[in-house]
Every structure is written in C-alpha cells, then in structure tokens.
Amino acid sequence: MAMLEVENVHAYYGKIHALKDISLNIDKGEIVTLIGANGAGKSSTLKTMSGLLRPRQGSVRLEGEDLTALRAHEIVTRGVIQVPEGRRIFGQLTVMENLDMGAFTCRDKQQIKTNIDKVFILFPRLQERRRQVAGTLSGGEQQMLAMGRALMANPQVLLLDEPSMGLAPVLVDSIFDTIRRLHKEGTTILLVEQNARMALQVASRGYVIQTGVVVLSDSAENLQKNEMVRKAYMGEN
Amino acid sequence: MTQTRSLWEHGVKTGIIGGVAVLVIALVGMVESFHRRDIIAEVITMGQVLLLIGGVFIGYIAAKRTGSDESLAPGLNAVIGSSVTGGFLAFLVIVGRLINLRAVLVNASPMLYKLLTLGHKGVAGIFIILLIGMGCGVFAAALFYLPRLTRRVIILSLSSMIIAGVLQDLIRPVIAAWGPVAVVSEWLFTGNGLTVSGSISIVILIAVVMTAWALKGQDIKSGYGNLSGGSQRGIKISAFFMLAVVLLALPHILGLFLSEVLTIVGLYVLLGLGLNIVVGYAGMLDLGYVAFFAIGSYVTAVLTSPELGFFSLTFWQALPFAVVLGIFFGVLLGIPVLKMRGDYLAIATLGFGEIIRILVLSDFLRPWLGGAQGAGKIPKAAIMGYQFITPQQIYYLILAGCILVVFISLRLKGSRLGRAWMAMREDEDVAQAMGINLVATKLLAFATGAGFSALSGAIFASKLGSVYPHSFNVIISINILCLIIVGGMGSIPGVIVGAAALVGLPELLREFAEYRLLVYGAALVAMMILRPEGLWPEVRHKMELHAEEENNIGEPEPSTAT
C-alpha cells in the first residue's frame, strides 16, 4: 500500500489554477522524483503535501489518514517533513540552534540527542561548524544544514525541494550521495528536481509535470530512456 | 589620480561634510543657546565645547579614512579636515558681517559671530576661527598617532569632565545632600560650571583610574577566571546584592527630581520590554503599541476613579483587570493582522493605535471615559498602609514592575516559545514547516507585549492620578521603537540602556528641549551607521553584523565523530 497518496488535487494561487488534477503516490522506503520545468507545479505539489498550500479539491493521505484538513504545523507531527527550496535555513541562528529548531515538535531530550548524533555522522562538516552562525556557511553546507534540520524531526516522508539548486557539481554529487544513504537507511523520499539526470539515477520511479498536469509517470529506468524526457529535461537532441 | 591628490582628498571631503554639519548646528541656534551654560566657569561654555568636539571629531575621521601608507598623511588630512570646517564658520562670519542674514536665518545673530570669533573684530576674528580649526586638527592628529590606550584615556577623561559640566545641576544637589561630602561640591562647582581646579582634578582622577584598570584589569580578569567555581559564584552573588542595594537606595541618593526622571525611564523600560517581545523576539513591527498603554491606563481609571463614578476599586484590585484587558485587546488586534507582514503589519497596527486614541477622545465614549478632559482622582497604590505618592515612593512600584517583567522576558527568551518566536522572526514559512503553530505563536507575542504595556499604563495612571487622551499619542509608540533600536533589538539590557539614553537624557537636559528631536534624529542616523546592532546588543546580532571581525566564533572545534 502506498505510504503517501495525492489524489486528484487542484490548487490555486488566487485565480491561477496551479495544479490541475494531480495524483501520485509514494511507497514506503521508496525514492520518487518529480521532474518538470520552472513553474510546472513541482513545488506547489510539494506544498500541498506539507500543508503550506491548501488544495481546493482532492486529498493528500498519509497511511490512510487525510492530511488535507490539517494545518502545516500539525502535518509536521505526522512525520511529513519538507526541506524547502533555496535551503532557507535560519541565517541568524547557529548551526546547533537550527538543528534544535528542526526538532521543535520533539519534546524528548534523549531523542533529540540521538538525532543530532545521527545528523553529525551524516554531515561531519556540520559538527565542525556547530557554533557558527548559519548565514555564514557556504551554499553546500547550508543545504546540508537544511537537510539535517529536517532529519531532526524524525521524518516518515522527506520532501526535498530542489536540493541541488545553485550548488557546484561536486557538491551536487555529495548531496545525492546523502540522499542514497538516507534511502538505504529506509527513509521514504519525494525528490523534486530540475536536474532530471541526477534525480532519475537515484529514484525508483518518477513523475513528469507540465503546467500543473502529470503528463508521464513510469519507472526511473524507462523515463531515462524516454525520448521526450531526454529531450526536454536532460538536454539531449 | 595622482598620489598628491589622493593624499588631500579625504581631508577636504570630510572637512566639507563637517563644515556643513557645523554650519547647521550654528544656524539652528544650538551653539548660541548652549553658550549660556558654562562647562568650566568663565573659561569655556557648552556651545564652544560642542564646536570643538565637532572640529576634533572631523579631524579624527579624516585621519582615519586616509588609509595611506605614508605616515604623515593621516595627520595632514586631520589638520586639513578641521581647517576646512573652520573655514566654513569663518565664511559664515564674513558673509554675515557683510549681509544681514537674519531675515532668513533667525539665528545668524551678531551674538553668534562674537561667540565664534571670541569677541575679536575684523580680520583678527577670522584668523582666530581658522586657527582654532587648525588647532582642533592638530589635536585630532595627535590623538590619531597616540597609542590606543593613551588615546582612550584622554578621550574618556575629557568627556567625563564635559559630562560632569553638562550635568552639573544634577550632580551638585546629589553631592550636597551627603553632609560632610558637600565640601567637594563647593570645590568642584561654581554657580555656573566647574571650577578650574575641579575640572582638572576630574580629568586626572579619571585618567588615573582608567590607566590603572588598563594595566591591571587583565590581571584582575584572569585572576577572576582562575578562582574556583564557588568563589566566582560568591563574587557574582555579592555583586548582585550590591546592585540590589544600589537600586533600593537610589531614590534617596538622587533626590526628588532625579527620582521622577527614573520613574519615567522605568515606565519606558516596561513599555520597551513589552514591545521588545513583539518586535525584537517575534519580529513583528507594531506601531500601535501605545494603544495597550492607553488601555491599561483607562481601565485603571474607570475602575478606580470616583470622578467617573462607576467603581471605586483600589489600585491593586484594578491592576489585574487592566493587564487582562490589555492582553485581551492584544489578541483582538492580533487576529485580523495574523497574515500581515512587514510594512502592512506596521500600517495596520498604526491604525489600531489611532483608533484607540480617537475612541478615548470621542464624545461617544465621553460618559464612560471622560473625553478630552480625561479622568482624574485616580487613587495612589498602597501596600499595607505604605502609599506610593511621591516619585521616590512610586520608584519602588515601578522597580518591582521592571524586575518582574525583566524576569519574565529572560525566562521567555530561553523557552520553547522564545525559540518559536525567533524562528518566526527569521522565516515564517519555514517556522511553520518546522511544526510551529504560527497563529498561537503570533497571538502569544501580541498578548505578552500588550500585557506588559497595560501594566505600565496602570502604573502610569496611578502615578499621574489622572489620564488624558493626549498622553497616548503615536509619538510614544515611535519613541519606544526607537529606544529598542538604539539599545539593541531583542536585548533586555539594551532596552534599559536605550530608555536611559532616549528618555532619561532628554529629561535631564530639559532646558535644551527645543533641540530634542534634532539630536534624536541625528543620534538615530549616527547609530545606524556606526553601531547598527545597538548600544548593548544581543549577542546574536553582534555576531551577524561583525562576522568578519570576530572570525574566532567560527573556529572549528576538533570533531569527535567522523
């Protein structure tokens, strides 16, 4: 059974119809990717899952529980955690305080400690810089921090919004390594990416979105072979 | 650009800026009205000191901005800068003597020229101005070349002397009240200004103390660091105890007038700490904050004033109602503006503040609130027969309020709620995505701030014994916001320092009240340029704004897990 299901979702920004009947599902322990051009509705789909955007029609369900009526901060307690686009770490807070904020919903101090250790094992860089003000970190470190912050909340499903955005190729590789590692540890991940080539390499399945509509959904392998995908999103002729 | 030109450049540029500033100061009449007060009796007046400080400051800035390898360049620029500034004043005197400027510039009086030229007529006067300008430059250059420590000692001891002179009317009665010590006051002060021997001894005293501290202070600090935890704690406790004793004894040491000033500062500290929660912690710009102050005052008035004649509760019975209603209105304002941010929030809250003031003023509510005449006969607070009537007594009431509010602010800052506010201030959407309930968090910030403000308002009503609508002008909100910014956003000691600087100082220098807003504005601009983090900043902002200077905070520690 699917862990997270999005069913016939319609969402609007004012009068603009941003998502037109989007449906997708993610199984437990799976990496699913959502690819598409700028403004196609990738981030909007993600926002309907995390509750930052309320769908006008349709539903989002986590293990059968309807999330549509819940507010964003309540969805967090269900374990759907978003790493926002453009990192958006708390720039004035230290690395450690950022991680603490990630565990805001967790009141168990022991659990927080365990999670911090986990994050530091995953990103040793963050441990080195734990007292540094987060705004002074490099772009790659900030992405690590944004992911670490999300992991602090014990995610059932991790929603990653463009983790490779604005990073040097070397750093992109290392971020994707981390995604693979999280996958191996059993985390369920929805990966929104413009870098389709990288995304399809780590994902098991993918959805292609154009102007608010899912135009294609298949296994990652098939999508990599698909001519339309190769032309439109992987820059081949 | 040739080398010689760049050598001169900074001096001339800074001099021109300084010259314009000094002209403005002279032409708004500050110099002349400050001239009425002597700093050192018969030797130098406050107006002259103002100009001299200006001249030296400009020279110093010119020297500092030079940034040339040549060792003589900064000194040269200092002299040029100050001389150019002097030149502007000389120019004013020349023009002013030829043409009557008073038709347009009311303050360009013969008196001003006489003051600037030290009473010399003709060319001699002009030369004197230029000479003094150059003298300032030479002094600034000397300051620049001196080692840091010496420079600080000189600046601090001279400014202590000037402050003693400026605040003479306050210091004199305070010392005089101390019986045998009163002799010191006789010796230090004349009727107007310091005595020559007094001012010299102040300079020497401060210089000696400063030098001693600079030489031995490090030893004392490291000595303190080497002490065992127990004795460090002992020192902290005794310091705390001493602070408590000073705070308790303060009104008796300072006398009636200064205690009155302290109570006003205290009320602003209460207000500032409340707004600090909304603006400093939660990052919501609230310009209608005075509304809650008004609500606290008016609730107290309605519940206690026999003049209005509804209830005649005591102050203590009315206080909880005032605070609770303040909180209620805080939430009430919060609900409609929940989705607003930044400028929009500021405008909406500004409107709320005005609505409350206009309602209070209105004829519509006159039967209940007294309209423009306000309400009087509000009883004083009393505990078991001890009445808070004089400023010295009310001081204790306000002190208790401040301690309570400081304590709550401190506890909130480190709490879960405090962290939620901090996250919300940084990024609302992400805060929500971290599981923070934005609605509750925002409303709690508004409610807490409003509660503090209403508390301040209740004390204010009882202190004055009456309330009037015009006490709750929008300018109060602006003042509170300014004191938070000047003190340092989000910093509790910053609020206290800010209130003392922006509320206390103007009260002390009432005779120059007409320049209050000018100085206020200049101080704010200067603060934003020189010290944007505030006078006593929260550690976090300091780190952010001076990250390059304090690289050591980012120093990596040896990692334990790899």
Side-chain angles (χ1 to χ4, degrees), chain A residues 146-203:
Chain A
M147 288 174 74
R149 185 177 63 182
L151 292 175
M152 291 296 294
N154 293 322
Q156 299 281 311
V157 181
L158 191 62
L159 310 176
L160 292 173
D161 199 349
E162 307 254 5
S164 73
M165 192 170 84
L167 294 184
V170 187
L171 291 169
V172 174
D173 284 343
S174 108
I175 291 292
F176 274 91
D177 281 343
T178 311
I179 294 173
R180 277 194 198 94
R181 199 158 151 189
L182 290 173
H183 171 61
K184 249 184 230 156
E185 288 165 10
T187 316
T188 310
I189 296 171
L190 177 66
L191 174 63
V192 164
E193 258 301 341
Q194 286 203 44
N195 189 339
R197 191 188 301 274
M198 292 293 277
L200 289 172
Q201 275 169 22
V202 295

Side-chain angles (χ1 to χ4, degrees), chain A residues 195-215:
Chain A
N195 189 339
R197 191 188 301 274
M198 292 293 277
L200 289 172
Q201 275 169 22
V202 295
S204 56
R205 290 187 300 122
Y207 293 83
V208 179
I209 296 195
Q210 268 172 14
T211 58
V213 182
V214 174
V215 290

Side-chain angles (χ1 to χ4, degrees), chain A residues 51-52 71-73 76 81-82 84 88-94 97 100-107 120-121 124 127-133 136 149-150, chain B residues 416-417 419-420 422-440 540-541 543-544 547 553-562:
Chain A
L52 290 175
R71 299 226 300 274
H73 64 94
V76 174
I81 315 292
Q82 184 181 5
R88 299 192 45 186
I89 48 148
F90 298 118
Q92 293 189 12
L93 273 54
T94 64
E97 285 169 325
D100 264 340
M101 285 314 307
F104 189 80
T105 50
C106 177
R107 284 167 189 270
F120 281 162
I121 289 170
Q127 180 166 34
E128 286 169 24
R129 308 200 164 235
R130 64 182 185 273
R131 275 162 224 260
Q132 192 169 331
V133 179
T136 63
R149 185 177 63 182
Chain B
R416 216 176 123 75
L417 183 59
R419 289 194 303 147
M422 205 158 62
M424 197 171 72
R425 178 183 70 200
E426 299 261 313
D427 192 326
E428 271 189 23
D429 295 331
V430 178
Q432 206 177 2
M434 299 284 102
I436 290 165
N437 184 343
L438 278 191
V439 173
R540 187 177 314 288
H541 290 269
M543 286 197 293
E544 188 195 16
I553 41 169
E555 211 167 45
E557 293 183 18
S559 67
T560 46
T562 31

